[in-house]
């Protein structure tokens, strides 16, 4: 990779803290990986003292692949390239005793966390539960304790939820479990309060590279500062114009705070874009300049002016979907083999907008891939198998115990589980411990006691093998002993059971590879799996298919042809942001959408749209008016050109007739 002057400056600079303001498509990943190589090969940093931290498994994997091409295995040995959560898990595992956890703690996913919180608030209502879980997560990300909330609670709801937060945390500790937020919160608190451990990790990781720094929350930013110390030997890469995750705790003010915390910090701007045409960038720059600027920058490109950007007014949402799909089919036909379906993306503000585009693509027999579909690790059959793995790794994991002991059914019913729960609660011990206690067993029905004893004997056998046996073989043995395949085939209709069993086979094959390649036993793999479910699950197939994606999920990706749909007041910007007079993040979201396009960008909006069965007549998005009007072409409105010209209409009709004639022949 040949670096431009600004990129080269960012790679070479080692005079202290560095903030690299990397505009969309400016080659930031290349800068990070080149700097890793520079630190190890030219400067002489041992690889095990360098860490590159990002937000998603996908981004970390891309960096790892690039670095593998630059460094030999010997040079890269010990190098850390991972997510914030993976780094937090590493610190927690090594310092488990200091936070009163054992090394093989469990990591609960959002579903398990929601069950616990639901029981504590006495409600399984989705809206109330989501609100409570989300608020507790935000408090954790802000490093606020239940005591902090109680001291400053603005209303009774916050006071009551602070008590739920305290009980939830106590429950996690009793399970010897953490949630995803704790993976960063606990290490941050530990390093803040324990100077000996803090200095130990500062020596371990002498240089830090942090990607997407504008997306850090208070907790992540604190952990970063604690690891780098007063010298601030780090390179932070970010873009305030692409900060779109405030709803999950990201704090763009961290970039401003960084300047105050490190007055000696150098700032280098990457403004040359290697993705889009000049016209697309001009539109993006013009829209985003309406936001207050933390750092002023202007993207530019050497790819030429490019095509005019179309803004299309569709009659309604059905027409919008059908028109977009017709344009994809037309462009694909014109491009022939040189154009792939994977070159096209349809981006929208909310998941609910996807359905009509799915229907239109299916009708046109065009393959598509829906971003944000169900994760492989969220499938019921996979969670069943993982419950056994979690329980082998950590017998205090009550949610895993309850799932494993009842799947497949083995004669352990509600009466038995109710008595176990009562004893465990009264004596403050785990369900696994309770199932090994004579006094608790004596109170159980005879049949339940017998079946429970058989289950516990089996689990103890597998726990004794966990550190020595290969992971794939161990789980295959367990699945055979529990007759899990028969359970699936007998409990599902048609081929559903076979499909689920194939998924389990994929999991066991993956476990075997993980154990063989990385030398990990089942105890270590249990925590690795939990992390893989955080921001994305199993890697999406690289199929030749049109991509349907939310704007949030599209960040970091690029496509030759982008359709940005639903550009209306109330959708983009979202009605909530309009009511709260806070459209700045929505404008950044529009900016992200625009800058995904490489060659061709089309925006659509509807003249009328049905909402809850009633026709609405939304205004076009205000962001369209903010664009340089000489660079956009508006089609379909009363005072503009029609979507399809008469000549194009005649051509389309002729093509249709020739196709029908060919079919008859």
């Amino acid at each position: 990779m040949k670096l431009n002057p600004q990129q080269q400056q960012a790679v070479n600079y080692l005079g202290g803290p560095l903030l690299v303001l990397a505009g969309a498509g400016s080659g930031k990943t290349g800068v990070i990986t080149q700097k890793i190589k520079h630190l190890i090969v030219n400067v002489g940093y041992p690889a095990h003292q360098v860490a590159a931290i990002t937000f998603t498994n996908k981004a970390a994997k891309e960096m790892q692949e690039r670095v593998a091409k630059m460094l030999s295995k010997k040079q890269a040995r010990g190098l850390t390239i991972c997510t914030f959560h993976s780094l937090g898990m590493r610190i927690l595992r090594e310092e488990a005793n200091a936070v009163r956890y054992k090394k093989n703690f469990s990591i609960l996913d959002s579903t398990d966390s929601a069950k616990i919180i639901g029981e504590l608030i006495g409600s399984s209502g989705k809206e109330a539960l989501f609100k409570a879980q989300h608020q507790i997560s935000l408090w954790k990300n802000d490093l606020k304790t239940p005591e902090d909330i109680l001291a400053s609670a603005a209303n009774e709801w916050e006071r009551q939820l602070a008590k739920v937060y305290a009980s939830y945390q106590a429950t996690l500790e009793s399970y010897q479990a953490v949630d995803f937020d704790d993976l960063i919160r606990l290490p941050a608190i530990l390093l803040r309060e324990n100077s000996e451990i803090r200095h130990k990790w500062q020596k371990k990781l002498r240089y830090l590279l942090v990607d997407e720094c504008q997306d850090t929350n208070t907790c992540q930013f604190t952990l970063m500062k604690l690891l780098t110390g007063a010298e601030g030997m780090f390179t932070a890469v970010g873009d305030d114009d692409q900060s779109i995750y405030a709803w999950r705790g990201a704090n763009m003010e961290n970039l401003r705070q960084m300047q105050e915390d490190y007055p000696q910090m150098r700032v280098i701007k990457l403004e040359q874009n290697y993705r889009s045409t000049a016209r697309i960038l001009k539109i993006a720059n013009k829209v985003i300049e309406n936001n207050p600027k933390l750092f002023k920058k202007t993207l530019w490109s050497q790819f030429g002016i490019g095509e005019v950007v179309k803004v299309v007014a569709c009659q309604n949402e059905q027409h919008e979907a059908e028109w977009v799909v017709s344009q994809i089919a037309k462009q694909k036909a014109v491009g022939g083999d040189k154009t792939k379906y994977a070159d096209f993306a349809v981006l929208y503000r909310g998941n609910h907008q996807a359905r009509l585009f799915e229907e239109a693509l299916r009708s046109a027999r065009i393959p598509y891939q829906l971003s944000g579909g169900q994760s492989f690790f969220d499938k019921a059959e996979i969670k069943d198998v993982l419950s056994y793995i979690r329980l082998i790794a950590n017998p205090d994991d009550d949610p895993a115990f309850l799932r494993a002991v009842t799947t497949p059914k083995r004669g352990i019913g509600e009466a038995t589980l109710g008595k176990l729960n009562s004893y465990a609660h009264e004596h403050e011990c785990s369900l696994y411990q309770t199932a090994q206690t004579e006094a608790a067993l004596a109170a159980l029905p005879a049949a339940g006691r017998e079946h429970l004893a058989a289950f516990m004997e089996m689990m103890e056998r597998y726990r004794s093998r966990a550190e020595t046996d290969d992971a794939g073989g161990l789980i295959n043995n367990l699945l055979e002993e529990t007759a899990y395949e028969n359970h699936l085939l007998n409990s599902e209709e048609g081929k559903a059971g076979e499909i689920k069993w194939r998924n389990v086979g994929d999991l066991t094959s993956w476990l075997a590879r993980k154990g063989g390649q990385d030398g990990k036993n089942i105890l270590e793999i249990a925590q690795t799996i939990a992390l893989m479910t955080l921001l994305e699950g199993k890697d999406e197939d690289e199929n030749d298919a049109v991509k349907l994606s939310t704007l949030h999920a599209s960040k970091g990706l690029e496509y030759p042809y982008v359709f940005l749909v639903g550009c209306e007041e109330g959708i983009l910007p979202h009605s909530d942001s309009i009511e709260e007079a806070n459209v700045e993040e929505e404008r950044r979201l529009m900016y992200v959408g625009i800058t995904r396009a490489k060659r061709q960008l089309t925006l659509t909006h509807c003249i009328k749209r049905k909402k809850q069965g009633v026709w609405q007549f939304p205004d076009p998005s205000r962001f369209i008016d903010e664009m340089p009007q000489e660079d956009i072409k508006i089609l379909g409105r009363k005072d503009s050109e029609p979507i399809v010209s008469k000549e194009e209409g005649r051509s389309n009709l002729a093509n249709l007739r020739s196709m029908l004639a060919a079919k008859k022949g």
Side-chain angles (χ1 to χ4, degrees), residues 242-293:
Q242 295 188 75
S243 180
I244 57 173
Y245 294 112
W247 53 275
R248 71 181 187 201
N251 185 2
M252 190 175 68
E253 286 299 305
N254 288 340
L255 295 181
R256 193 194 310 277
Q257 186 65 42
M258 207 181 290
Q259 290 183 301
E260 296 179 13
D261 293 341
Y262 302 98
Q264 76 277 33
M265 183 175 72
R266 183 169 177 186
V267 178
I268 295 175
K269 298 178 185 179
L270 304 184
E271 297 173 291
Q272 183 173 357
N273 174 284
Y274 293 92
R275 175 188 299 157
S276 308
T277 64
R279 181 172 265 132
I280 289 170
L281 295 180
K282 182 181 175 185
I283 286 173
N285 288 330
K286 195 70 177 174
V287 168
I288 203 65
E289 75 178 22
N290 289 280
N291 270 3
K293 304 295 286 183

Side-chain angles (χ1 to χ4, degrees), residues 10-276:
V11 167
N12 292 342
Y13 184 75
L14 289 171
L18 171 66
L19 173 60
V20 179
L21 283 170
S26 62
K28 68 180 178 65
T29 303
V31 168
I32 293 172
T33 51
Q34 288 284 348
K35 188 152 192 172
I36 290 171
K37 177 185 176 182
H38 177 64
L39 287 165
I40 295 169
V41 176
N42 301 330
V43 184
Y45 272 84
H48 66 266
Q49 292 184 339
V50 176
I53 315 300
T54 188
F55 278 82
T56 67
N57 297 321
K58 186 176 181 179
K61 183 180 177 183
E62 183 185 348
M63 281 189 201
Q64 288 164 355
E65 290 171 349
R66 290 202 194 187
V67 169
K69 294 175 182 176
M70 298 178 182
L71 301 175
S72 67
K73 286 187 178 179
K74 184 178 179 181
Q75 288 173 319
R77 189 171 295 129
L79 174 67
T80 296
I81 300 177
C82 66
T83 63
F84 269 102
H85 292 86
S86 295
L87 179 62
M89 184 182 76
R90 175 182 163 190
I91 296 171
L92 274 184
R93 285 197 63 156
E94 196 161 322
E95 312 298 346
N97 288 337
V99 290
R100 300 191 306 279
Y101 272 83
K102 59 187 180 186
K103 190 176 180 181
N104 294 322
F105 58 83
S106 293
I107 303 170
L108 301 190
D109 63 18
S110 59
T111 304
D112 288 327
S113 296
K115 284 181 181 176
I116 297 169
I117 293 172
E119 289 171 4
L120 291 171
I121 66 175
S123 170
S124 57
K126 286 186 178 179
E127 189 174 340
L129 185 53
F130 172 79
K131 188 178 178 184
Q133 187 176 19
H134 183 62
Q135 185 57 66
I136 290 172
S137 176
L138 290 177
W139 284 337
K140 286 191 172 192
N141 289 335
D142 276 343
L143 285 175
K144 291 178 180 175
T145 65
E147 293 74 25
D148 294 333
I149 306 305
L150 282 169
S152 62
N155 51 53
E156 184 60 24
W157 181 79
E158 285 193 358
R159 279 188 286 275
Q160 292 302 319
L161 192 57
K163 294 174 184 176
V164 170
Y165 175 14
S167 298
Y168 168 64
Q169 208 55 39
T171 302
L172 290 184
E173 289 173 14
S174 70
Y175 289 173
Q176 281 289 291
V178 298
D179 61 19
F180 288 134
D181 298 317
D182 284 336
L183 285 174
I184 303 171
R185 186 182 71 91
L186 291 176
I189 293 171
L190 177 63
L191 266 59
R192 185 177 66 190
E193 297 178 354
N194 190 315
S195 59
E196 184 179 341
I197 292 176
R198 180 170 68 250
H199 293 143
K200 168 186 168 182
W201 280 92
Q202 287 174 353
K203 288 178 183 176
K204 268 179 176 280
L205 303 176
R206 287 176 52 209
Y207 201 94
L208 221 60
L209 301 104
V210 182
D211 191 17
E212 305 284 15
C213 201
Q214 79 281 349
D215 291 335
T216 55
N217 57 40
T218 300
C219 199
Q220 291 159 335
F221 186 59
T222 300
L223 181 62
M224 171 189 148
K225 288 195 296 182
L226 289 165
L227 286 169
T228 55
E231 289 184 22
M233 293 304 290
F234 67 81
T235 294
V237 181
D239 181 7
D240 51 321
D241 290 334
Q242 295 188 75
S243 180
I244 57 173
Y245 294 112
W247 53 275
R248 71 181 187 201
N251 185 2
M252 190 175 68
E253 286 299 305
N254 288 340
L255 295 181
R256 193 194 310 277
Q257 186 65 42
M258 207 181 290
Q259 290 183 301
E260 296 179 13
D261 293 341
Y262 302 98
Q264 76 277 33
M265 183 175 72
R266 183 169 177 186
V267 178
I268 295 175
K269 298 178 185 179
L270 304 184
E271 297 173 291
Q272 183 173 357
N273 174 284
Y274 293 92
R275 175 188 299 157
S276 308

Side-chain angles (χ1 to χ4, degrees), residues 93 103-106 385-394 459 461-476 478 507-508 510-512 514-516 518-530:
R93 285 197 63 156
K103 190 176 180 181
N104 294 322
F105 58 83
S106 293
V385 179
L386 295 185
S387 68
Y388 284 93
I389 295 175
R390 282 167 49 186
L391 196 58
I392 289 169
N394 174 18
M459 293 307 301
R461 273 192 283 112
Y462 285 100
R463 289 194 67 227
S464 68
R465 295 167 52 186
E467 292 190 26
T468 54
D469 285 24
D470 73 277
L474 186 143
I475 292 302
N476 274 321
L478 192 149
L507 175 67
T508 53
W510 180 84
L511 287 169
K514 202 72 179 166
D518 300 347
K520 291 183 175 182
N521 61 39
I522 200 74
L523 308 178
E524 296 165 315
I525 290 173
Q527 293 173 336
T528 303
I529 291 171

Side-chain angles (χ1 to χ4, degrees), residues 252-547:
M252 190 175 68
E253 286 299 305
N254 288 340
L255 295 181
R256 193 194 310 277
Q257 186 65 42
M258 207 181 290
Q259 290 183 301
E260 296 179 13
D261 293 341
Y262 302 98
Q264 76 277 33
M265 183 175 72
R266 183 169 177 186
V267 178
I268 295 175
K269 298 178 185 179
L270 304 184
E271 297 173 291
Q272 183 173 357
N273 174 284
Y274 293 92
R275 175 188 299 157
S276 308
T277 64
R279 181 172 265 132
I280 289 170
L281 295 180
K282 182 181 175 185
I283 286 173
N285 288 330
K286 195 70 177 174
V287 168
I288 203 65
E289 75 178 22
N290 289 280
N291 270 3
K293 304 295 286 183
L294 198 54
F295 301 95
K296 186 171 176 56
K297 67 179 182 307
T298 303
L299 295 181
W300 60 277
S301 165
Q302 292 181 328
F303 290 156
I305 187 65
E307 295 182 30
V308 70
V309 172
K310 292 179 183 176
V311 177
V312 179
C314 301
Q315 294 303 310
N316 52 49
E317 59 264 49
Q318 189 81 42
H319 179 219
E320 179 182 47
E322 291 170 354
W323 184 82
V324 167
V325 170
S326 73
Q327 294 303 297
I328 292 172
K330 176 184 170 185
Q331 191 71 49
K332 176 72 171 69
V334 170
D337 293 338
K338 292 181 181 179
T339 304
K340 298 178 179 179
Y341 283 121
D343 292 339
F344 299 88
V346 180
L347 308 181
Y348 37 80
R349 177 64 177 82
N351 278 311
H352 68 279
Q353 294 169 259
R355 182 180 60 82
L356 290 174
F357 291 94
E358 286 192 78
E359 291 175 1
L361 287 162
R362 281 200 298 267
S363 295
R365 297 185 179 180
I366 294 175
Y368 68 90
Q369 187 177 66
L370 189 66
S371 178
Q374 187 187 32
S375 162
F376 177 76
F377 292 100
D378 278 339
K379 296 180 185 295
E381 64 274 19
I382 302 303
K383 289 173 82 74
D384 287 344
V385 179
L386 295 185
S387 68
Y388 284 93
I389 295 175
R390 282 167 49 186
L391 196 58
I392 289 169
N394 174 18
D396 292 330
D397 187 337
D398 279 3
F401 178 90
L402 288 169
R403 188 163 192 135
V405 81
T406 56
T407 312
K409 293 187 183 302
R410 48 173 56 87
I412 300 172
E414 290 298 322
T416 298
L417 292 175
K419 289 182 182 296
L420 282 178
N421 266 315
S422 297
Y423 186 94
H425 183 73
E426 183 181 346
H427 294 83
E428 297 183 349
C429 57
S430 71
L431 290 170
Y432 198 96
Q433 290 173 309
T434 301
Q436 294 175 313
T437 305
E438 286 298 326
L441 293 172
L444 300 180
R449 183 166 61 245
E450 185 180 332
H451 293 306
L452 182 62
F455 173 77
M456 294 301 293
E457 186 273 330
M458 178 185 72
M459 293 307 301
E460 283 296 293
R461 273 192 283 112
Y462 285 100
R463 289 194 67 227
S464 68
R465 295 167 52 186
E467 292 190 26
T468 54
D469 285 24
D470 73 277
L474 186 143
I475 292 302
N476 274 321
N477 290 165
L478 192 149
L479 290 170
E480 186 177 344
E481 185 167 349
T482 58
Y484 187 72
E485 181 181 7
N486 288 337
H487 159 72
L488 285 179
L489 296 178
N490 293 331
S491 59
E492 299 289 341
E493 293 182 6
K495 292 189 175 182
E498 294 175 20
I499 293 169
K500 289 191 172 189
W501 180 243
R502 281 202 297 272
N503 289 336
V504 172
D506 289 344
L507 175 67
T508 53
S509 299
W510 180 84
L511 287 169
R513 289 197 304 274
K514 202 72 179 166
Q517 292 171 1
D518 300 347
K520 291 183 175 182
N521 61 39
I522 200 74
L523 308 178
E524 296 165 315
I525 290 173
Q527 293 173 336
T528 303
I529 291 171
L531 277 186
M532 290 183 69
T533 68
L534 178 53
L535 293 179
E536 65 275 333
K538 196 179 183 185
D539 289 341
E540 293 176 341
D541 296 331
E542 293 298 323
N543 296 328
D544 183 21
V546 174
K547 189 64 173 281

